[in-house]
Amino acid sequence: MYGIILNQQQRSLIKICGLSTEETVDAAIAAGATHIGLVHFEKSPRHISLEDAAKLRRRVPAEVKVVQLLVNADPKLTSQAIATVRPDVIQFHGSETPEWVKIVRKQTGLEVWKAFGLRDQASLESSSRYVGAIDRILFDTPAKALPGGNGVAFDWSLLAGHDHPIPWGLAGGLDTENVTEALKTTNTPLVDVSSGVESAPGVKDVDKIAAFCQAVREFDASR
Ligand SMILES: O=C(O)c1ccccc1NCC(=O)[C@H](O)[C@H](O)COP(=O)(O)O
């Protein structure tokens, strides 16, 4: 029994973000992803309508969480996204304030994540302003052409030995080749990937998804 408990404690969470087809959602679930990310941000090559997100959401079993990603959505769009998609998690990936995300969390009872661009120690310290307002902070590369999904890694050493006050995750430029190093360097409990499992911007690759998840599971087994 203890062996089972130990394994569950060491199982890294895997979020495959920016999925947009039934085939790739099914592939991510089959590969062992724990979270499925759906992007509603029209400038993104991974953007899908709320109606399409709702259809994909209905394919996801209860044990896998659906993360609806929004960027600076106003209250009306935020409410519409939640009512239409019925996600398990809302991920805010813009300049949303702690006050706003706290309101959403309180009023909806949903799990709320905030993505945070990490550039230096000062920015890591400033991320603490979200403590108490969210369920998980997702450390990502600071916004570039897009607020996220840029396929660029940040300096993971910024997180080495950091005493995280709330649940967190690592995103930005991850792929099958570097995810093991990212896990070793940061001891992140969650890895989040989008570009690194694509054959072209917005085109998810089922083989890359499987390889990424396998690399994470092999790391888990080695701990
Ligand atoms: O994925 C996008 O296109 C995107 C667009 C606008 C805001 C956020 C976006 N993605 C959010 C994510 O959580 C990504 O998985 C994360 O930024 C990592 O992306 P990548 O570096 O491409 O793996």
Side-chain angles (χ1 to χ4, degrees):
M1 181 184 81
Y2 292 119
I4 292 171
I5 293 171
L6 187 61
N7 286 340
Q8 284 303 319
Q9 284 169 339
Q10 291 180 347
R11 186 168 177 260
S12 302
L13 301 175
I14 304 172
K15 176 182 167 231
I16 307 295
C17 193
L19 291 160
S20 59
T21 68
E22 293 178 353
E23 179 198 20
T24 53
V25 166
D26 293 352
I29 294 165
T34 58
H35 293 75
I36 298 291
L38 304 174
V39 175
H40 187 74
F41 180 66
E42 292 185 359
K43 293 177 182 174
S44 165
R46 304 158 190 116
H47 170 78
I48 56 175
S49 69
L50 296 178
E51 292 69 26
D52 286 345
K55 288 176 188 170
L56 293 176
R57 194 264 178 283
R58 290 193 285 270
R59 304 181 69 84
V60 182
E63 63 269 20
V64 178
K65 289 191 174 179
V66 171
V67 183
Q68 178 61 58
L69 192 139
L70 299 173
V71 179
N72 296 326
D74 63 22
K76 181 181 177 184
L77 176 56
T78 303
S79 299
Q80 188 184 7
I82 292 168
T84 304
V85 182
R86 312 299 290 171
D88 301 292
V89 181
I90 287 282
Q91 177 181 320
F92 292 110
H93 215 110
S95 55
E96 298 86 354
T97 64
E99 293 74 21
W100 169 238
V101 298
K102 191 171 188 176
I103 288 169
V104 174
R105 184 175 183 231
K106 185 173 182 180
Q107 290 192 356
T108 67
L110 286 176
E111 190 174 331
V112 169
W113 298 3
K114 179 68 184 76
F116 196 90
L118 206 49
R119 59 181 81 250
D120 52 27
Q121 279 302 327
S123 63
L124 178 58
E125 289 159 16
S126 73
S127 68
S128 63
R129 69 181 185 273
Y130 285 95
V131 174
I134 59 179
D135 298 282
R136 186 182 298 275
I137 192 161
L138 185 67
F139 290 116
D140 196 352
T141 301
K144 298 186 182 304
L146 291 168
N150 293 294
V152 176
F154 66 89
D155 179 5
W156 299 329
S157 69
L158 289 168
L159 292 168
H162 181 64
D163 184 14
H164 296 270
I166 59 173
W168 65 287
L170 181 70
L174 295 178
D175 60 29
T176 303
E177 287 65 43
N178 69 14
V179 68
T180 302
E181 184 58 32
L183 286 157
K184 286 178 181 175
T185 303
T186 68
N187 196 32
T188 181
L190 179 146
V191 288
D192 173 327
V193 65
S194 190
S195 306
V197 291
E198 293 180 341
S199 56
V203 182
K204 289 292 190 279
D205 180 302
V206 295
D207 294 328
K208 289 187 175 188
I209 289 171
F212 182 85
C213 293
Q214 182 179 344
V216 176
R217 293 298 172 238
E218 286 174 358
F219 171 79
D220 288 345
S222 73
R223 291 202 282 193

